């Protein structure tokens, strides 16, 4: 069996740091249990990026369902900045304290993956970005990873099972293995064209045996207008100037009338490389950088006990509102009790990002479909820079 925790054990609080067990033990023996308000925020983002995509809330929903607590939350897919509470819990500490480790784990990793996907998509502009990184993570979490890659902005995911979960068609064409087994790039591409349903785009992988330029011309000559794209893999492992190779391939295809053949690049691609390659490349397959993205370091901080503001050093106490101008996307964090001017200086209307989510054992808003969350991310991305 795999070394993975099952859902019931996580829900019961077994996947917890032991100091919470000890804390609850002490509090119980001492007869102390208090009503607590705690918030989840991030103080610093990885690599000093200016924003992150909040994700993982749907998983948190299954963990907290049935508990006697109240929650406020941001919508999954909200683009957030540091020091903005994304989730807030109110209730007796004994009811939820043990779940801190698990809730953080769900939010931190999901948000990390969704954030990196959003950054790659932002860099690519209107060019497709496919999630190819499932092979870099434990297969048990591959569906979680690809779901968050998709909601972050990826246009497709490569793993069959993961695509099923989000009701999308998996994407991908041919591996080097096919070309090696058949023995020639053109023959392999022709075999693909002969066998595989016409609804799938014909993308020839052109870096197996020969120079990319030579192979690109050979497959274009063989498939003509049936060829949708040529794919160049593992640019990071090549010597020489990959940009120059791309430029050459584009040039040689264009000069022979194959201007319609797109260039697809995969392997070792991240948002920086995407920006570099964009003048020549039409689509990307992004792996490790998304699937193994740095996590977003959310922390859970107590901000109120028995109705009184209290917080550790360096933390602002009390319940908060996070508001965002719908026009200029300026954010403010203000005390929950404070009335605010509903209009921003720019004239736009402020909306609350952190809203009641769970009360009296019922969810007040439900998770949206992955497609809707993704669209929400893409809409916001227009107003955010890398
Ligand atoms: Zn404004």
């Amino acid at each position: 069996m795999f070394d993975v925790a099952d859902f019931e054990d996580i829900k019961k609080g077994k996947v917890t740091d032991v100091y919470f067990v000890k804390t609850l033990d002490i509090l119980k023996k001492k007869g102390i249990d208090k009503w607590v308000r705690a918030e989840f925020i991030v103080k610093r983002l990885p690599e000093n990026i200016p924003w992150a995509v909040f994700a993982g809330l749907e998983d948190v929903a299954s963990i907290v369902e049935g508990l006697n607590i109240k929650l406020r939350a941001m919508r999954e897919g909200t683009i957030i900045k540091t020091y903005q509470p994304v989730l807030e819990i109110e209730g007796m500490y004994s009811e939820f304290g043990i779940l801190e480790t698990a809730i953080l784990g769900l939010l931190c990793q999901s948000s990390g993956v969704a954030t990196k996907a959003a950054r790659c998509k932002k860099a690519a502009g209107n060019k497709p970005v496919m999630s190819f990184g499932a092979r870099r993570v434990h297969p048990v979490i591959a569906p979680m990873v690809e779901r968050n890659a998709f909601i972050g902005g990826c246009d497709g995911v490569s793993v069959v099972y993961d695509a099923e979960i989000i009701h999308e068609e998996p994407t991908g064409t041919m591996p080097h293995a096919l070309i090696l087994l058949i023995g020639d790039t053109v023959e392999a591409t022709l075999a693909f064209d002969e066998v595989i349903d016409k609804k799938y785009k014909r993308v020839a992988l052109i870096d197996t045996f020969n120079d990319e330029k030579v192979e690109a011309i050979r497959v274009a000559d063989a498939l003509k207008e049936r060829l949708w794209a040529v794919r160049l893999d593992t640019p990071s492992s090549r010597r020489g100037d990959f940009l120059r190779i791309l430029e050459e391939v584009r040039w040689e295809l264009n000069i022979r009338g194959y201007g319609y053949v797109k260039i697809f690049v995969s392997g070792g691609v991240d948002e920086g490389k995407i920006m570099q390659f964009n003048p020549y490349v039409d689509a990307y397959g992004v792996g490790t950088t998304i699937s193994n993205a740095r996590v977003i370091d959310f922390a859970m901080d107590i901000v109120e006990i028995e109705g009184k503001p209290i917080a550790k050093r360096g933390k602002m106490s009390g319940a908060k509102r996070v508001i965002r101008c719908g026009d200029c996307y300026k954010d403010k964090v203000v005390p929950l009790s404070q009335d605010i001017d509903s209009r921003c200086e720019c004239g736009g209307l402020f909306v609350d990002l952190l809203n009641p989510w769970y009360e009296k054992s019922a969810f007040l808003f439900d998770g949206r479909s992955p497609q809707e969350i993704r669209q929400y991310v893409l809409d916001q991305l227009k107003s955010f820079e890398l």
Side-chain angles (χ1 to χ4, degrees):
M1 271 306 292
F2 296 135
D3 292 328
V4 292
D6 77 34
F7 175 75
E8 287 309 319
D9 282 337
I10 298 168
K11 197 168 165 89
K12 270 187 258 163
K14 265 185 94 173
V15 184
T16 191
D17 291 295
V18 72
Y19 67 178
F20 294 124
V21 180
K22 291 169 178 163
T23 298
L24 287 165
D25 204 20
I26 296 163
L27 293 174
K28 200 174 167 190
K29 296 266 161 58
K30 291 287 181 183
I32 299 168
D33 196 10
K34 292 183 177 176
W35 178 96
V36 161
R37 188 194 294 272
E39 65 187 22
F40 293 78
I41 68 158
V42 57
K43 289 162 199 156
R44 195 175 305 130
L45 292 170
E47 297 156 335
N48 286 318
I49 54 172
W51 47 264
V53 174
F54 173 54
L57 189 68
E58 216 175 282
D59 289 341
V60 173
S62 20
I63 296 295
V64 298
E65 190 170 21
L67 294 181
N68 184 25
I69 54 175
K70 269 169 84 173
L71 295 145
R72 290 190 299 143
M74 286 192 186
R75 287 261 179 203
E76 205 166 3
T78 301
I79 295 187
I80 57 148
K81 295 178 189 149
T82 52
Y83 291 98
Q84 298 177 340
V86 296
L87 175 71
E88 184 211 69
I89 303 185
E90 281 178 69
M92 299 309 286
Y93 187 73
S94 60
E95 185 78 3
F96 69 86
I98 199 87
L99 294 173
E100 178 174 337
T101 309
I103 294 176
L104 283 172
L106 293 169
L107 297 180
C108 293
Q109 190 167 25
S110 299
S111 299
V113 171
T115 300
K116 199 55 152 178
R119 289 180 58 78
C120 290
K121 184 63 187 172
K122 178 73 186 179
N126 53 9
K127 295 172 177 176
V129 174
M130 304 303 173
S131 161
F132 280 5
R135 60 185 54 193
R136 304 282 180 243
V137 299
H138 194 298
V140 163
I141 65 161
M144 178 283 283
V145 166
E146 292 223 280
R147 181 251 187 206
N148 288 303
F150 180 74
I151 68 165
C154 283
D155 296 82
V157 303
S158 63
V159 167
V160 177
Y161 185 90
D162 305 351
E164 247 175 66
I165 300 258
I166 57 170
H167 307 293
E168 290 283 319
E169 188 80 38
T171 57
T173 51
M174 62 176 74
H176 289 111
L178 178 72
I179 294 158
L180 290 166
L181 287 161
I182 289 186
D184 175 70
T185 301
V186 171
E187 273 179 52
T189 310
L190 286 171
F192 184 99
D193 188 44
E194 182 194 321
V195 173
I196 301 296
D197 194 315
K198 295 276 174 282
K199 72 179 180 179
Y200 298 109
K201 288 172 176 147
R202 275 50 185 149
V203 179
L205 180 56
I206 55 163
D207 62 2
T208 310
F209 295 118
N210 300 313
D211 184 76
E212 290 87 348
K213 181 171 69 181
V214 174
E215 295 286 64
I217 298 163
R218 284 184 67 226
V219 287
D221 283 343
L223 270 89
K224 301 275 191 300
E225 67 288 340
R226 299 200 304 288
L227 186 66
W228 185 74
V230 289
R231 176 162 77 99
L232 288 77
D233 193 42
T234 58
S236 54
S237 70
R238 317 227 110 227
R239 282 196 204 174
D241 186 349
F242 191 68
L243 261 188
R244 188 78 200 159
I245 298 174
L246 290 171
E247 194 184 352
E248 270 180 33
V249 170
R250 184 72 275 162
W251 175 280
E252 298 299 334
L253 286 169
N254 287 358
I255 210 166
R256 288 167 177 79
Y258 301 126
Y260 57 87
V261 175
K262 299 189 184 318
I263 296 181
F264 189 114
V265 168
S266 57
V269 178
D270 61 12
E271 68 268 48
K273 293 227 174 75
I274 290 175
M275 282 190 287
Q276 249 187 303
F277 297 163
N278 249 354
Y280 305 107
V281 173
D282 305 286
Y284 300 91
V286 184
T288 311
T289 196
I290 292 178
S291 61
N292 296 56
R294 290 269 302 273
V295 299
I296 304 302
D297 282 334
F298 289 110
M300 188 186 101
D301 290 312
I302 291 176
V303 292
E304 239 177 73
I305 295 181
E306 299 293 349
K308 289 199 182 66
I310 187 170
K312 68 175 191 185
R313 278 193 317 141
K315 269 289 311 169
M316 295 207 280
S317 61
K320 300 170 189 80
R321 285 173 80 172
V322 185
I323 53 173
R324 173 170 293 168
C325 170
D327 284 355
C328 74
Y329 280 75
K330 195 169 103 178
D331 299 331
K332 281 185 188 173
V333 179
V334 297
L336 182 61
S337 52
Q338 186 183 307
D339 280 332
I340 49 141
D341 199 345
S342 61
R343 290 213 178 262
C344 171
E345 293 95 80
C346 82
L349 271 182
F350 279 121
V351 290
D352 274 288
L353 294 181
L354 189 64
N355 292 300
W357 177 47
Y358 178 83
E359 273 174 36
K360 299 187 178 102
S361 301
F363 288 99
L364 305 174
F365 60 85
D366 287 327
R368 295 173 177 167
S369 70
Q371 289 71 16
E372 286 169 314
I373 301 171
R374 178 174 178 271
Q375 194 53 53
Y376 176 44
V377 173
L378 294 179
D379 290 343
Q380 294 168 87
L381 268 186
K382 291 177 199 146
S383 308
F384 288 82
E385 296 306 318
L386 281 177

